């Protein structure tokens, strides 16, 4: 029985910065998942997470100072995953997360994957609890009576 070894090239195209910042991961059909972004480059990132992701899966990650970005899972590590951004980020943003605040003023709309968002919203429609017709009638009737009482109160004061 022969063992074969496969050499993997490290195709990183950009300088990485070691971080350790909190982020939020979303993938289709699931709620937001807290992750720790270990390192970041203009083309991707490595994160620590217990999430169960598949290679090639499309995800969206929110990183303070960078914003919400679409990415694909490209590597599985012992305690997390590495992902490649769908669209590379500006190299200047790589240094932002270490100094970023929780509130960030930026235009996140351009990088948000609208297809992923619409898939997620179809999979998780909002739950709206409707009031029964009798309760709605009681509420509107009460508002109407209260309005007339206010008008009568003003009339008696005059």
């Amino acid at each position: 029985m022969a063992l074969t070894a496969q050499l993997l090239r490290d195709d990183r195209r950009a300088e990485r910065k070691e971080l350790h910042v909190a982020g939020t991961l979303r993938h289709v059909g699931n709620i937001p998942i807290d992750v720790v972004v270990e390192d970041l480059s203009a083309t991707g990132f490595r994160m620590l997470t217990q999430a169960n992701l598949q290679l090639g899966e499309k995800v969206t990650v929110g990183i303070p100072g960078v914003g919400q970005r679409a990415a694909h899972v490209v590597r599985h590590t012992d305690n997390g995953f590495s992902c490649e951004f769908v669209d590379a980020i500006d190299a200047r943003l790589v240094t932002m997360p270490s100094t970023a605040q929780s509130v960030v003023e930026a235009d996140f709309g351009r990088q948000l994957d609208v297809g992923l968002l619409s898939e997620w919203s179809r999979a998780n429609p909002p739950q709206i609890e409707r009031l029964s017709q009798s309760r709605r009638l009681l509420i509107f009737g009460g508002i109407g009576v209260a309005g007339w009482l206010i008008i009568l109160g003003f009339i008696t004061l005059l």
Side-chain angles (χ1 to χ4, degrees):
M1 183 166 138
L3 295 175
T4 58
Q6 182 180 4
L7 295 176
L8 298 174
R9 284 189 14 214
D10 191 358
D11 286 338
R12 291 187 180 97
R13 297 173 298 209
E15 186 73 25
R16 290 185 293 164
K17 179 176 182 348
E18 193 170 320
L19 291 179
H20 307 289
V21 298
T24 303
L25 175 78
R26 291 179 187 264
H27 63 111
V28 177
N30 287 315
I31 58 174
I33 300 168
D34 292 332
V35 298
V36 175
V37 178
E38 288 286 291
D39 64 50
L40 177 69
S41 74
T43 58
F45 61 96
R46 182 172 51 94
M47 66 181 162
L48 300 178
T49 180
Q50 297 300 316
N52 186 17
L53 303 173
Q54 303 299 317
L55 291 178
E57 185 173 355
K58 197 173 204 178
V59 298
T60 302
V61 65
I63 304 171
V66 175
Q68 195 168 7
R69 309 291 181 182
H72 288 99
V73 177
V74 294
R75 185 177 295 118
H76 181 256
T77 63
D78 291 337
N79 52 3
F81 296 90
S82 294
C83 298
E84 180 180 11
F85 292 122
V86 171
D87 296 314
I89 63 172
D90 188 325
R92 293 174 293 185
L93 292 176
V94 174
T95 59
M96 297 289 282
S98 59
T99 60
Q101 301 294 319
S102 296
V103 178
V104 179
E105 285 188 43
D107 178 12
F108 300 134
R110 289 184 296 159
Q111 294 295 326
L112 179 62
D113 187 342
V114 178
L116 182 62
L117 182 62
S118 64
E119 285 179 48
W120 185 84
S121 62
R122 276 195 304 273
N124 299 303
Q127 300 298 319
I128 301 171
E129 185 179 333
R130 295 189 58 100
L131 295 174
S132 68
Q133 188 173 2
S134 59
R135 284 194 180 188
R136 284 185 280 172
L137 183 60
L138 183 64
I139 291 170
F140 286 121
I143 291 172
V145 168
W148 279 110
L149 289 175
I150 290 172
I151 291 171
L152 289 174
F154 281 124
I155 291 173
T156 58
L157 289 175
L158 296 175

